[in-house]
Amino acid sequence: MLEEVERWLSTHSWSVTDRPLHKILAAKQRTGQSVSVVLPALNEEETVGDIVAVIRHDLMQQVPLVDEIVVVDSGSTDRTSEVAAAAGARVVHRDDILPRIATVPGKGEVLWRSLLVASGDIVCFIDADLKEFSSDFVSGIVGPLLTDPGIDLVKGMYDRPLGGAAGQGGRVTELMARPLLNMHWPQLAGFVQPLGGEYAARRSLLEQLPFPVGYGVELGMLVDALHLVGLDALAQVDVGVRKHRHQDGQALGRMAAAIYRTAQLRLARGHLIRPSLTQFERGADGFEPRTFSVDTEERPPMVEIAEYAARKVA
C-alpha cells in the first residue's frame, strides 16, 4: 500500500462515534448548510418506508439535521411511491425530472437527475433496499462534510454479512472493483466499500462530475472525484453493519461488466469493442445464451445542463 494511503487511512477514516450528533448539529447551525437525503428506488416497497421513517424521526423530528428526504422512483411497478410518501418523503418520478432528455434505465441516471430536485448544499445518497436501517448511516457520512470544510465526499464503510456469514457480502467489490482500483488507482485502495451506495458529497462537487447511467456510477464518481479534488478531500466513516437484499450471480456479473466498462473508459476513453455481456441459463435444450447490453452512456456534469443553471440563478 502506498505511504500516502496509509497516512490517509489514519487521518481520513473515522467511526460514526468520532463525531457526536450535538457537534454535527452545532457545525450545521454555524455554517448554515442544508442537507438533502436522496433514495433512488425501484420496487422497494418492503424497505423504503422504514428507511424514510427512521430518518424522518431521528434526524428531522428529534434533531434538525436533515432538511429534506427525496425518493426518486425509477419506474417501480409496486407500491414504492405510495409507501415512501406515506412515511414522509417527497416522491418524484425519474421521468418527470428534466423531461426534454429521455430517460434510460440505471441507478446512475436516477442519481444524476436527483440533483435537479434535491435542494441541499450536501446531498446524501442512501440505497432503498437496506434492512434494519440506522440513522447512523446518514449522520455518520454527513458529519465530516459539516465539520471539516476540506472534505468533499464521504463514503460509508460497514460489514456486509451474506447468508449469516460475516464479511462475505460485496462480491463485486472484492472480485472486480478492488483489483481495478489497486492496479490502476492505488490512491483509492484504502476505501473499504468503494461501491457502497451510502455516501454524501457537497453539491459543488457532484455538479461537476459526469455520472455513468448504470451500476458503474459509484466507481466512476470515486475515480473522477480523486482527479478533481484529490485524495485528502475524500473520506470514509464506519457506520456498522449493512443488511440488504442480495442479487444472484448473473445479476452480479452484469454489474461487474458495467463497472469494468466504467473503469475502461476512464483509463483510455477509447472505443468499446463489444459493449455487451453474454451469460448462460439452462433451458429445455441445454444451456441457452442470454446477451445483455452493457451501459455505454454517461450523463455530463450537471453544471452543463441549462435547466440546472437556470435553477441556480433562480
Side-chain angles (χ1 to χ4, degrees):
M1 183 178 291
L2 297 176
E3 289 186 8
E4 180 184 9
V5 176
E6 292 183 353
R7 176 194 57 77
W8 179 85
L9 278 169
S10 66
T11 60
H12 287 68
S13 292
W14 299 297
S15 167
V16 65
T17 59
D18 289 335
R19 289 174 176 79
L21 196 53
H22 71 272
K23 290 188 176 181
I24 299 174
L25 287 169
K28 183 178 191 290
Q29 293 169 357
R30 183 175 65 253
T31 61
Q33 298 176 91
S34 55
V35 177
S36 296
V37 176
V38 172
L39 282 74
L42 177 63
N43 294 328
E44 302 294 357
E45 67 176 2
E46 294 183 5
T47 50
V48 68
D50 289 340
I51 297 171
V52 170
V54 168
I55 297 172
R56 184 172 177 80
H57 175 268
D58 292 359
L59 302 179
M60 296 181 79
Q61 297 172 342
Q62 295 287 349
V63 297
L65 179 63
V66 171
D67 296 282
E68 66 173 353
I69 306 172
V70 181
V71 171
V72 182
D73 190 329
S74 58
S76 299
T77 56
D78 65 2
R79 298 182 61 253
T80 289
S81 290
E82 293 87 342
V83 170
R90 176 161 63 96
V91 179
V92 185
H93 195 283
R94 172 199 63 191
D95 296 349
D96 294 332
I97 306 171
L98 199 60
R100 73 173 176 85
I101 299 178
T103 58
V104 296
K107 179 183 180 181
E109 175 83 351
V110 175
L111 299 183
W112 181 72
R113 290 176 185 265
S114 76
L115 296 181
L116 269 164
V117 292
S119 61
D121 302 306
I122 293 170
V123 181
C124 175
F125 297 119
I126 300 290
D127 281 349
D129 66 342
L130 302 189
K131 302 174 182 178
E132 302 177 28
F133 179 77
S134 167
S135 59
D136 285 350
F137 275 69
V138 175
S139 59
I141 57 181
V142 165
L145 294 164
L146 290 169
T147 62
D148 189 336
I151 300 298
D152 288 325
L153 184 148
V154 181
K155 297 281 292 190
M157 57 177 170
Y158 30 68
D159 295 315
R160 298 183 68 176
L162 175 64
Q168 297 301 309
R171 291 161 287 173
V172 175
T173 293
E174 300 303 329
L175 297 175
M176 175 60 73
R178 199 176 308 286
L180 282 172
L181 292 175
N182 275 264
M183 288 187 290
H184 299 296
W185 297 281
Q187 286 179 296
L188 298 174
F191 277 93
V192 175
Q193 297 291 350
L195 300 185
E198 290 69 47
Y199 50 98
R202 300 189 191 282
R203 174 177 295 275
S204 57
L205 171 62
L206 293 172
E207 66 186 13
Q208 297 182 70
L209 299 177
F211 276 59
V213 297
Y215 283 120
V217 63
E218 273 84 24
L219 183 133
M221 187 179 298
L222 205 55
V223 170
D224 294 339
L226 173 68
H227 290 302
L228 192 62
V229 296
L231 182 61
D232 283 340
L234 313 180
Q236 60 185 348
V237 174
D238 186 347
V239 292
V241 179
R242 183 187 196 270
K243 297 181 180 180
H244 65 111
R245 171 176 44 81
H246 293 282
Q247 301 194 55
D248 62 34
Q250 292 206 333
L252 296 178
R254 296 190 289 275
M255 188 183 302
I259 290 164
Y260 178 76
R261 169 263 170 194
T262 299
Q264 180 191 42
L265 286 185
R266 276 152 182 77
L267 286 168
R269 296 290 174 183
H271 175 65
L272 281 177
I273 297 174
R274 187 172 182 269
S276 61
L277 174 72
T278 298
Q279 298 176 320
F280 293 87
E281 297 179 5
R282 184 182 290 279
D285 299 319
F287 286 102
E288 300 174 356
R290 298 285 188 271
T291 299
F292 300 86
S293 61
V294 175
D295 300 320
T296 58
E297 188 170 355
E298 293 195 5
R299 295 306 191 186
M302 188 57 79
V303 290
E304 298 177 9
I305 301 299
E307 289 88 339
Y308 185 78
R311 187 193 109 158
K312 292 190 72 175
V313 171

